[in-house]
Amino acid sequence: SEIRYDRDNVFAKILRGEIPCDKVYEDDHVLAFRDIAPQAPVHVLVIPKGPYISLADFSTIASPDEIAEFFAAVGKIASDLGLDDPGYRILANHGSDGGQEVPHFHVHIFGGKKLGAMLP
Ligand code: 5GP
């Protein structure tokens, strides 16, 4: 929620332009940029611009239109990066057990190589 959201998290700073990013897509509600420590040849982070900590917040606070447009943007970004064929992976970490480091909801897009099996 707005109250728990940490306005000093790194993605909030990127959204405010206080730290730079390698932008690949932006619209009124969505920003996508390359991960600073890529784990695949293509590693892009897609974030909604609103103050959502996790998917739990985004999926319950954002409007149905905003949610639909966000996931449509994820697909379009992957497609525009040329990843549809041979494919890619999307991932969202939640909380400490899920390995979430940045408390602003984000979807990872991984591609550009044959990815390994996703095991815990
Ligand atoms: P999480 O573990 O929260 O799902 O993923 C956070 C991701 O954000 C990590 O892959 C990390 O490399 C990336 N990241 C952290 N700080 C920055 C930054 O300042 N700029 C960019 N572009 N990515 C960052």
Side-chain angles (χ1 to χ4, degrees), residues 27-38:
D27 66 27
D28 285 350
H29 301 289
V30 179
L31 178 67
F33 51 91
R34 294 188 191 273
D35 197 291
I36 202 167

Side-chain angles (χ1 to χ4, degrees), residues 10-11 14 19 21 33-37 39 43 45 93 99-102 106 108:
V10 66
F11 294 170
I14 286 174
I19 58 176
C21 71
F33 51 91
R34 294 188 191 273
D35 197 291
I36 202 167
Q39 297 177 52
H43 185 176
L45 302 169
N93 296 318
Q100 182 177 5
E101 292 175 359
V102 179
H106 52 281
H108 297 254

Side-chain angles (χ1 to χ4, degrees), residues 24-25 27 30-32 44-48 58 66-81 83-84 88-92 105-110:
V24 301
Y25 176 84
D27 66 27
V30 179
L31 178 67
V44 167
L45 302 169
V46 188
I47 67 175
F58 184 60
E66 194 177 348
I67 295 167
E69 284 167 18
F70 177 80
F71 286 102
V74 173
K76 177 176 165 42
I77 291 158
S79 192
D80 289 350
L81 289 166
L83 299 177
D84 278 337
Y88 61 93
R89 178 174 295 153
I90 65 172
L91 174 80
F105 173 57
H106 52 281
V107 167
H108 297 254
I109 300 173
F110 300 105

Side-chain angles (χ1 to χ4, degrees), residues 5-18:
Y5 182 77
D6 172 14
R7 296 196 166 274
D8 290 328
N9 82 75
V10 66
F11 294 170
K13 291 178 178 175
I14 286 174
L15 282 168
R16 290 194 297 266
E18 293 169 8

